[in-house]
Amino acid sequence: MAKFPRFMIITSGIGAVVGGAVLLKDFIIGHGHKLPDTIRADGKVCIVTGSNTGIGKETAMELARRGCRVYMACRDLEKCRTARAEIISDTLNQHVHCRKCDLADFDSIRQFAEEFKAKESRLDILINNGGIMRCPRTLTKQGIEMQLGVNHMGHFLLTNLLLDNLQSSAPSRIVNLSSIAHTRGTINFEDLNSEKSYDPGAAYNQSKLANILFTKELAERLKGSGVTVNAVHPGIVKTELGRHMGFENSITASIFVKPILSFFLKSPVQGALTSIYVALEPSLESTTGKYFSDCKQKEPSEQAKDPTLAKKLWATSEKWTRLNSNSPSYSASPA
């Protein structure tokens, strides 16, 4: 029997281990389906919130690559401009625009919507991507707990302000980024603003459940309009979203925990796949009110399917955002 050199045996062993690790990672974190490059979006107008980094940036990049006119709605314009330059350089699409939109400030959201409407008459795709996770208890400009305010209330207001553009551009699509964390969430109407007690994880879970309830109720209200709205779980993704997690600044964690944890996380490119899929997949043109993960329709939690809960949250959100109010002031307590 022929003998193989030791280095060949070692190399084969390493290859098998690496290959097995890749397969294990794919099995654990799941993966999305990259749409064929033949699926284009030339001339479509889209907005992606929180698109200066992470999943949002990669989503804006892919939409621009497929021909969209992209509006990057971001709080930090300097970071937005840097990301925009990279997107234009990579895609050669010059129709990528930075616009100020602070989801923690209803005045900023309203100004963004007004300026967008003055520039564009149509809106084909709205991707409510921006978010914050497990931060210390802070408040938005209008006094709302930050995670609920940014992740849900800000996008609730923005979407409603842009509905006429979406409806006049039908068929059009809304994509709301939620999370599998919604399965651990409850809508605590007795302390919705976390004034009596605050737990960063519980507040985040509540905001992600709110994303799906908002999706369900909006889909009901938009039936027959040609506008679809769906929620997605992007996966557990390595982005700046986890900057408030306790181990981020730990030297010990940086050495031992982060390399292991990173193995089980999706990249931002992988995290953007489901958003892109739901926004552009032709077979989903009439699919609405659903929840997707890894580019497949999944069942959300039972609470997320409760129509009574969804309607109650909608009514509260209308009140807190002053959606139907003509008053220019939003500084009063939401209670």
Side-chain angles (χ1 to χ4, degrees):
M1 182 180 292
K3 293 183 178 180
F4 292 96
R6 180 173 294 181
F7 81 91
M8 290 182 65
I9 296 173
I10 294 173
T11 302
S12 297
I14 292 173
V17 170
V18 171
V22 170
L23 291 174
L24 176 63
K25 179 175 181 178
D26 283 346
F27 175 76
I28 292 173
I29 69 173
H31 55 85
H33 166 66
K34 188 178 188 304
L35 289 178
D37 292 337
T38 52
I39 296 178
R40 301 284 301 173
D42 297 287
K44 290 190 175 184
V45 178
C46 70
I47 294 172
V48 184
T49 67
S51 47
N52 61 278
T53 188
I55 298 170
K57 177 183 172 184
E58 296 302 332
T59 301
M61 179 88 75
E62 189 63 22
L63 289 171
R65 185 176 287 117
R66 292 174 186 269
C68 274
R69 188 153 71 248
V70 181
Y71 283 83
M72 304 172 67
C74 302
R75 178 180 61 85
D76 189 323
L77 279 182
E78 183 177 345
K79 290 182 179 180
C80 184
R81 292 186 184 108
T82 300
R84 172 183 178 269
E86 185 178 335
I87 291 171
I88 290 175
S89 175
D90 188 79
T91 66
L92 302 181
N93 183 342
Q94 298 293 322
H95 303 292
V96 181
H97 311 282
C98 283
R99 294 292 185 271
K100 173 82 171 181
C101 184
D102 184 351
L103 292 167
D105 180 359
F106 294 156
D107 296 328
S108 176
I109 294 168
R110 288 182 179 275
Q111 183 174 353
F112 168 85
E114 288 175 6
E115 291 177 356
F116 176 82
K117 288 170 177 286
K119 183 74 175 178
E120 299 284 353
S121 59
R122 64 181 300 112
L123 176 58
D124 300 278
I125 302 167
L126 170 62
I127 299 186
N128 290 319
N129 167 87
I132 190 168
M133 183 174 81
R134 291 176 174 264
C135 59
R137 189 177 190 275
T138 49
L139 303 177
T140 68
K141 182 181 177 182
Q142 285 73 36
I144 299 172
E145 185 276 312
M146 188 64 71
Q147 295 187 84
L148 183 67
V150 169
N151 297 350
H152 169 61
M153 295 292 178
H155 284 127
F156 175 90
L157 177 60
L158 177 65
T159 303
N160 275 283
L161 293 176
L162 296 171
L163 278 183
D164 52 349
N165 294 71
L166 286 157
Q167 290 174 311
S168 66
S169 308
S172 54
R173 306 188 191 189
I174 302 166
V175 181
N176 294 326
L177 263 74
S178 181
S179 167
I180 197 171
H182 85 273
T183 60
R184 301 187 295 275
T186 58
I187 305 297
N188 183 7
F189 285 108
E190 298 302 314
D191 189 25
L192 191 58
N193 211 36
S194 302
E195 293 172 332
K196 297 175 183 177
S197 65
Y198 179 71
D199 176 85
Y204 177 73
N205 299 342
Q206 175 178 251
S207 72
K208 295 291 99 179
L209 175 57
N211 291 151
I212 301 183
L213 290 168
F214 169 48
T215 298
K216 294 285 188 180
E217 178 62 17
L218 183 57
E220 284 294 316
R221 290 169 178 255
L222 290 175
K223 273 186 176 178
S225 69
V227 182
T228 62
V229 51
N230 292 289
V232 304
H233 166 50
I236 311 302
V237 185
K238 186 178 181 181
T239 69
E240 294 179 5
L241 192 64
R243 60 187 175 274
H244 296 293
M245 303 289 280
F247 61 81
E248 280 294 311
N249 299 316
S250 165
I251 295 177
T252 302
S254 296
I255 297 173
F256 298 106
V257 178
K258 283 187 178 180
I260 297 172
L261 184 61
S262 295
F263 177 79
F264 297 101
L265 300 180
K266 288 184 178 182
S267 69
V269 171
Q270 292 171 320
L273 289 176
T274 304
S275 295
I276 296 296
Y277 175 78
V278 175
L280 295 179
E281 166 58 40
S283 67
L284 298 180
E285 185 171 297
S286 60
T287 300
T288 191
K290 304 302 181 182
Y291 171 68
F292 289 82
S293 177
D294 289 328
C295 299
K296 297 177 182 177
Q297 187 177 319
K298 301 289 179 66
E299 283 297 312
S301 70
E302 289 304 311
Q303 278 201 92
K305 295 185 284 188
D306 185 338
T308 302
L309 190 61
K311 292 183 189 309
K312 185 174 181 180
L313 178 64
W314 183 284
T316 301
S317 302
E318 274 191 334
K319 177 183 176 183
W320 285 25
T321 59
R322 275 72 170 177
L323 180 61
N324 298 317
S325 172
N326 294 320
S327 171
S329 174
Y330 306 100
S331 60
S333 169

